[in-house]
Amino acid sequence: MRITGTGMLGIILLFALTLSGVLWGCPTYKVYSKEQDGRAALAEAQSSRQIAVLEAKARLESAKMLADAEVVRAEGAARANRILQDSLGGPDGYLRYLQIQAIDSKEASLIYVPTEGGLPLLESGRLTSRAPAPGN
């Protein structure tokens, strides 16, 4: 098969067009590719920011709810303490009740109980058993 002058001209023209398309298309594609990468990075940054904002809002809401629950618990405890205190004759009766509850919950062999003056009797039973007998 023999190529004529017109065929050769066609091949050269096709080659020239292909080469010019590649030379023009590469820089254009690089610009397009960089632009798409930038758009993807921007979308990812916006998405990350939205996620961070939503997480912060969830933490804030959780903290508010925990604080509200603590306030409700404290109000209930204060009301219960007031009822107990009033039924036991005031603050002194309530403190005496708490002291008795603490003594009941301990499994100690030695318990110091305050006297009327607020001072404990420090092992007075032990001291009398060691005192020398009269006439010795």
Side-chain angles (χ1 to χ4, degrees):
M1 173 164 128
R2 222 169 147 202
I3 300 178
T4 61
T6 326
M8 185 62 98
L9 185 62
I11 291 175
I12 291 174
L13 239 144
L14 182 62
F15 179 72
L17 280 174
T18 305
L19 183 63
S20 65
V22 167
L23 292 176
W24 177 81
C26 277
T28 305
Y29 176 75
K30 285 182 181 179
V31 169
Y32 172 78
S33 176
K34 293 289 182 184
E35 183 179 322
Q36 294 304 316
D37 289 345
R39 286 183 181 172
L42 177 63
E44 184 178 350
Q46 288 174 339
S47 176
S48 295
R49 190 187 73 213
Q50 287 175 347
I51 289 170
V53 166
L54 289 174
E55 287 176 347
K57 284 181 181 178
R59 283 193 301 274
L60 176 65
E61 187 176 324
S62 174
K64 284 181 180 179
M65 287 183 165
L66 287 172
D68 290 344
E70 187 63 24
V71 167
V72 169
R73 187 206 60 75
E75 286 174 350
R79 202 172 322 126
N81 285 343
R82 230 177 291 116
I83 292 169
L84 248 172
Q85 179 178 328
D86 291 345
S87 68
L88 294 172
D92 289 335
Y94 181 60
L95 290 175
R96 209 169 298 116
Y97 167 78
L98 290 177
Q99 179 185 18
I100 293 168
Q101 292 297 319
I103 291 171
D104 282 346
S105 67
K106 303 245 185 237
E107 293 184 18
S109 60
L110 184 61
I111 299 173
Y112 295 106
V113 179
T115 61
E116 292 297 320
L119 298 172
L121 295 174
L122 301 173
E123 303 179 32
S124 61
R126 291 185 185 187
L127 293 176
T128 56
S129 62
R130 290 186 193 169
N136 270 1

